[in-house]
């Protein structure tokens, strides 16, 4: 199996070593094909009109919802299409006003700012290590007694995955609602929501080989939530003095949704599902190990976490300098705080360089990174 | 892609001029940018003329080279001269075409110096 062949990007840009999948992945061919076929043969607006074409498009759109929901073990009515993880988290933060929310130091800004802006009170939990332990979470919940706790499934800085099943159980035992930021986990870690008692879970298509502009929010009981955006396609009836919203998920999807992207998103979840064993054995297994070994072998490089698919590292030089010079060797890596400033500043005030793996990366990519990094370090020394 | 890490930029980064502090500056300011870089400017000004200048801080090669080149350039110049300096002047001092994503790096030292002289 050679998944790299499934990505037309690499035949068009063979010179590039793409190590920035944690920011956004390349698009898989089955995803592009599904979108193109829908565009060319089935496109129409959805949930509007009674034409055969509109019904056809609506069927594809709702079928996409079912496929994405099944990907996480949820029911279609428990899944709202969003613009991405950020909008999903904002949905939860805006649908109701939470009296108090606990978040952690490991979060992406999109899982910090919505709560800081919308909750009446927020508490920051600082895990001792770069992972959230059930005991530490329990302690924090007992101390602050928040209404809701939110945490990342997999850190976008370290690639470390938290035991979200146990964390959600701790939250549930404390009678606290829980939110999982699944953005980095979706492409790498299968989840069955029936076994993970969270209240909400948000993820994005573009971090799992699907298109940008679409994501999903799972809610255990979305019917109980108020809409946070308003527009067409979300009401059953409206009069001067009365509004009857449609049932979930329609009432949460105001306006024309990203229809083509939903089709692509569904194809992406299918693609990931079909490659889960490969991802586990290679991306999170052999390649992650090789990435750690390669980075360790370069003098002056310090790794933030070992054997993860996100190789964040620091050197005595600024992360932007290192990443920029790697770019001159055709290595696409990211530098800075990775929109997770609380964590990045804890690790290093001027950020880290991040080389993150996707399904298309190879041992040769890692070797090229190693050689480019050696030359970069020499140049800056 | 032009190599913004020119010999001059690398030299100023590796061996910055005027790096350090002044014990009794008449003017000083510490500025940071979104990357976490900080440049702390220390100046002694007599009759509106900069007679001594040092800087300290942490930053990327571009922001440190810019601070080194700027501090060297403004010695003996007046506050009015400094206030006339622009981002383009910083790019000229660096001698490179600064890409959009690194303009804030080239600007930081000038922002810090202007802020110090305003106080």
């Amino acid at each position: 199996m050679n998944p790299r062949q499934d990505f037309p990007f690499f035949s068009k840009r063979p010179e590039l070593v793409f190590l920035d999948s944690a920011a956004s992945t390349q698009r898989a061919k089955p995803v592009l094909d599904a979108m193109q076929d829908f565009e060319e043969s089935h496109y129409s607006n959805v949930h509007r009109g009674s034409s055969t074409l509109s019904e056809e498009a609506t069927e594809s759109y709702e079928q996409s919802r079912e496929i994405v929901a099944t990907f996480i073990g949820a029911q279609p009515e428990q899944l709202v299409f969003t613009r991405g993880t950020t909008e999903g988290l904002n949905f939860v933060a805006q649908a109701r006003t939470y009296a108090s929310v606990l978040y952690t130091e490991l979060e992406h800004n999109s899982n910090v700012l919505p709560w800081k802006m919308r909750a009446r009170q927020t508490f920051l939990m600082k895990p001792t290590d770069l992972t959230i332990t059930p005991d530490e979470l329990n302690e924090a919940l007992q101390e602050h007694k928040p209404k809701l706790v939110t945490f990342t499934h997999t850190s976008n800085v370290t690639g470390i995955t938290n035991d979200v099943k146990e964390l959600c159980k701790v939250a549930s035992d404390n009678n606290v609602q829980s939110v999982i930021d699944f953005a980095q986990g979706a492409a790498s870690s299968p989840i069955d929501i029936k076994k993970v008692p969270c209240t909400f879970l948000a993820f994005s298509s573009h971090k799992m080989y699907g298109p940008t502009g679409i994501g999903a929010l799972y809610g255990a009981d979305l019917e109980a939530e108020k809409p946070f955006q308003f527009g067409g396609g979300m009401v059953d009836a409206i009069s001067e003095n009365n509004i009857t919203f449609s049932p979930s998920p329609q009432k949460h999807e105001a306006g024309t949704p990203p229809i083509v992207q939903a089709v692509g998103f569904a194809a992406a979840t299918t693609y990931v599902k079909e490659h889960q064993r490969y991802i586990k054995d290679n991306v999170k297994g052999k390649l992650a190990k090789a990435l750690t070994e390669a980075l360790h072998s370069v003098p002056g490089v310090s790794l933030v976490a070992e054997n993860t698919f996100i190789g964040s590292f620091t050197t005595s030089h600024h992360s932007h300098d290192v990443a920029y010079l790697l770019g001159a060797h055709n290595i696409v890596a990211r530098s800075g705080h990775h929109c997770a400033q609380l964590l990045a500043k804890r690790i290093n005030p001027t950020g880290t360089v991040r080389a993150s793996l996707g399904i298309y990366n190879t041992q040769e990519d890692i070797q090229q990174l190693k050689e480019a990094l050696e030359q970069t370090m020499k140049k800056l020394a | 892609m032009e190599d913004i890490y020119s010999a001059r930029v690398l030299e100023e980064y590796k061996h910055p001029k005027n790096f350090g502090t002044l014990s009794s500056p008449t003017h000083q300011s510490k500025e940071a940018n979104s990357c976490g870089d900080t440049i702390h400017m220390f100046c002694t000004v007599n009759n509106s003329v900069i007679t001594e200048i040092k800087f300290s801080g942490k930053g990327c090669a571009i922001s440190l080279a810019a601070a080194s080149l700027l501090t060297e350039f403004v010695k003996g110049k007046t506050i009015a001269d400094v206030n006339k300096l622009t981002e383009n002047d910083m790019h000229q001092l660096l001698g490179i075409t600064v890409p959009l994503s690194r303009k804030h790096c080239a600007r930081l030292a000038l922002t810090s110096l202007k802020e110090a002289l305003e106080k």
Side-chain angles (χ1 to χ4, degrees), chain A residues 317-318 320-321 337 379 381, chain B residues 3 5 13-14 37 61 102:
Chain A
H317 304 288
H318 198 289
H320 287 346
D321 291 330
H337 299 132
K379 185 159 187 169
Chain B
D3 187 4
Y5 294 85
Y13 163 60
K14 291 173 187 175
D37 293 9
R102 305 300 295 272

Side-chain angles (χ1 to χ4, degrees), chain A residues 91-374:
Chain A
F91 172 115
V92 183
Q94 290 187 36
R96 60 176 74 186
T97 304
Y98 288 93
S100 53
V101 171
L102 182 85
Y103 64 102
T104 86
E105 202 178 23
L106 310 182
E107 306 310 315
H108 188 282
N109 290 353
S110 61
N111 202 17
V112 175
L113 294 172
W115 313 109
K116 298 290 279 181
M117 299 306 293
R118 293 289 302 173
R120 290 208 184 93
Q121 201 176 9
T122 52
F123 302 106
L124 173 63
M125 175 190 166
K126 295 183 178 181
T128 310
D129 296 318
L130 295 174
T131 184
I132 308 163
T133 65
D135 284 348
E136 279 188 312
L137 179 64
N138 191 49
E139 214 171 281
L141 295 179
Q142 299 270 328
E143 184 188 346
H144 299 297
K145 304 201 180 311
K147 295 287 179 201
L148 180 143
V149 59
T150 186
F151 42 77
T152 185
H153 175 282
T154 300
S155 163
N156 73 313
V157 177
T158 66
I160 295 173
T161 295
N162 291 303
D163 186 349
V164 292
K165 188 174 168 185
E166 282 307 309
L167 297 180
C168 288
K169 277 184 187 162
V170 169
S172 183
D173 291 347
N174 281 276
N175 205 22
V176 174
Q177 293 195 6
S178 54
V179 179
I180 300 173
D181 171 357
F182 193 45
Q184 294 296 337
S188 57
S189 304
I191 198 166
D192 184 353
I193 216 72
K194 293 189 285 298
K195 294 175 185 161
V196 180
C198 67
T199 320
F200 298 100
L201 173 138
F203 59 111
S204 298
S205 153
H206 76 101
K207 291 193 197 292
M208 52 183 303
Y209 315 109
T212 55
I214 191 162
L217 174 72
Y218 157 86
D221 185 8
L222 285 175
E223 194 56 50
E225 299 302 319
K226 287 181 191 157
F228 90 113
Q229 287 178 336
F230 305 92
M234 62 177 297
V235 288
D236 281 349
I238 181 167
S239 65
E240 189 178 352
N241 299 315
N242 196 35
I243 299 167
T244 308
F245 290 116
S246 304
S248 179
Q250 271 71 39
K251 73 170 179 177
H252 297 302
E253 293 179 0
T256 297
I259 306 163
V260 184
Q261 289 86 338
V263 172
F265 190 9
T269 59
T270 303
Y271 183 81
V272 167
K273 211 170 185 172
E274 285 169 0
H275 291 81
Q276 258 158 4
R277 170 51 72 91
Y278 181 90
I279 292 166
K280 183 171 179 258
D281 292 348
N282 289 278
V283 184
K284 294 180 77 182
K286 289 177 198 157
L287 285 178
K289 195 164 175 281
L291 181 61
T292 292
E293 282 168 8
L295 292 171
H296 266 319
S297 73
V298 181
V301 169
S302 299
L303 245 77
V304 175
E306 296 195 341
N307 300 324
T308 67
F309 67 101
I310 297 179
S312 274
F313 60 92
T314 58
T315 70
S316 58
H317 304 288
H318 198 289
S319 61
H320 287 346
D321 291 330
V322 176
Y324 201 95
L325 284 165
L326 287 175
H329 295 274
N330 289 323
I331 308 285
V332 182
R334 188 166 166 190
S335 57
H337 299 132
H338 317 300
C339 296
Q341 276 153 315
L342 297 173
L343 176 58
K345 283 178 180 169
R346 167 172 161 176
I347 296 165
N348 187 32
T350 53
T352 65
V353 182
R354 184 181 73 182
S356 51
L357 299 168
I359 194 167
Y360 27 65
N361 288 120
T362 61
Q363 295 281 356
E364 290 74 36
D365 288 343
I366 292 169
Q367 182 60 27
Q368 280 194 54
L369 168 69
K370 179 178 179 277
E371 287 165 16
L373 189 53
E374 282 167 352

